[in-house]
Amino acid sequence: PAEPAPLKELLTPFTDVAGQAATTRQSTIVIADLAKEGERIVLVGLARDANDVTGPGLGESQTVEFKVVSETELRQEFDRLLGEARDRVVQARDELGQGLTKADKLALASRSAAMSANRAGELLSQVVRRWRENQLPADQGAPMVKAEDLVNRQALTALAQASRGDQPPARVADGHLAEAEQLLSGLLQDGDLTRVLATLIERQRSLAEETRPFVREHLTKPLDAAAKTRQTNLAQRQRELAEQVKEVERRILASPSPQLEQARELVRTGTPADQLQQAAKEVGSEKERTQAVPRQEAVLATLEKLLEQLRGNDAAKDLAKRAGELAAREEALLGRLEAGEEPKTLQPEQDLLKRETEQFKQQLDKQPEAQKKVAAAAQAQGAASKAMQQGDRSAATREGSAAADLLRDAQKQLQPPEDKKKEDEKDKKSPDVVKLLKELHQQQLALVADSTAIHLRIGDEMLDFAASREVPVLAERESDILLRLREEGIKEIEQMPIALVALQRVAAALERTAGHLATPALGERGMRLEKIALHELSRLLEIVETMPPPEQQESGSPPPPGGQKGNQPPFPPAAQLALLAAAQDELAVLTAANRPVDLPVMQAELKVLVDLLLRSSRPGTRPSLLLSRSGRAMASAAELLQEQDRGATTRHEQAAAVASLRRLIAEAKGQSGGSSKDAPQAQNEQRDQGKPPPPGSKPGSGQPGAPSTGPAAQGSQKQGGAGTGVLVVDGPEGTLMHLPPERREQLKQARQQNLPPAALSIFERYLEVLEEGR
């Protein structure tokens, strides 16, 4: 204005705009000096010209209205907008999915999805802008910033390309929208409890800073009218904060999450909301005013402890999730490597994964054990990358497997205690030898992690003074692992030849490692030997854990006579066929690579194991037929290998052997587990021969010359072979595996009627004759 009004009437006067038709000026207005929470401010621009003839002319801009709200209310508004944005993203994905399933509708579906995504992007842009304008913490707003970029830039760009009917950009857009949906869902979950509590703590701290000088000022000075108004305002704000803290308490106490148990206990003992209500009464009191300040400080300490626990739980879950993601990506790389993809093409992805693992390691300062495992995983990833560059598939597989195992172990250590407890309970139900293998696997992982720390320090150099004392300790730990495997594992399965071969292979790897470390020496060779032993343990556990668990005894069925109810073998009999198939697979890989090893002898050894199963199986059954096929293929492959044939014919025979074994496993998966609910071996003999068991014989005893261990393995000798369990199971399900399910069910019902052995044997034969159509 040419003649500005007095400054007390204007928030921001502009005195240098005379003579200009239009201008732009910026000014800062401190809202806190003008209004309190809940009040509204209306801003308007006024102008007056210098017309002293017919004027002055007066101008007035459109009004701009602001409402002063608390941070909690603002965040609630943000949650509403984010929820609507997420719904729009979900709608866009649904519309796009219809086009991906029907190519002729892709163009129209992409345009519809773009409209929904555009609305979601507008909402996200509004939230991001207001978040920054209100100067809220940038780190808390990072997920919504990323979601806004995914929707407005990446997804909408891809949808524009997909509107022409192209599927690849449509799938790219769907991926971006899925990631944005995940980010928004994470922001809207119970994790906002941490943000709300942090906001309340800041408001309580600010209120305490206002209360302290007020109480100090009026220790002896009487309250005038202004002071009483101020006192009322402080008490009212304290009561409001107490109500909001009460809501946080309610949400914590109502949460079923076991990770919040410590937080719930702190709420019960500290009662912060009740303490704040008492503080509000004390602030408004004439005589108890001085007690409010220490009470506020005590409540602040309690709330900060509560916030630390909430953040700790959230951080631990996030770290465990991140470790699992890295492990999953490493396992995916291993899968592609084992599927035959060229190692050199995977090196860039392995290098990227190594860098991300090293960055993740920096976040584990407060988790030293997990950090050690992640550091070892990063070192193994580096070795895998080097092997990929050289085209060494086996070394890359070994190092990548070690990295994945170390990351999975770090994930387990970072998991909340309740999740760890569930996994421990699951492990307790494993057979004895499998449980032992899991323990040894954990010990070997710890050994590799500790060795990696030493190796990163000294490399292939001579051991320094500290390392010369540490490496012999590692050798003792490796020897202890080997001793436990021999005494608690191998001795338990001496009558299960296939499992025995697998465990002896692990023992050989551990023995080589222990011998090298006892030199004492470490270096690249020592690390390689340790990881070979770890890989052998991981491979064995992976094969065993993919087999279905044995069925428990059905309620109402009697336990085996003379046997223990629920007894199980020390090693899953069903897993032995999988071990045999894996050994044949590995031999086929060695044959294709023309490795300089005694392939004919190795093939003949596998043929001996198959013959052992075949001799103890029931002739004419489906398992006997498949074992015969596998044995013939192995015999042919052994002859061809003896003639130095490494070509396609040999590999075809080996593949046929594996296919028969895999087929047998697949067919037996739905029929295994009867060993715990049917009669033992003595009753099988009784049914087949029509004779009572010999006096003094023990139920479940095996036949002479056939290896056996435990009821499941012993019962398997009649039809499935030594320790195979998958092939033959005691009772109707095992003896008539070649019959359809309805026939086996009829026999099972007859068995439950406690028929005499002779009548049961006749009924079995009757079912066989019915199925044969005679």
Side-chain angles (χ1 to χ4, degrees), residues 235 245 273 279 320 509 615 762:
V245 172
R615 284 197 302 270
I762 293 173

Side-chain angles (χ1 to χ4, degrees), residues 29-44:
I29 299 174
V30 181
I31 302 296
D33 296 339
L34 304 174
K36 296 181 296 186
E37 290 183 10
E39 296 181 346
R40 296 178 182 270
I41 298 176
V42 178
L43 299 180
V44 63

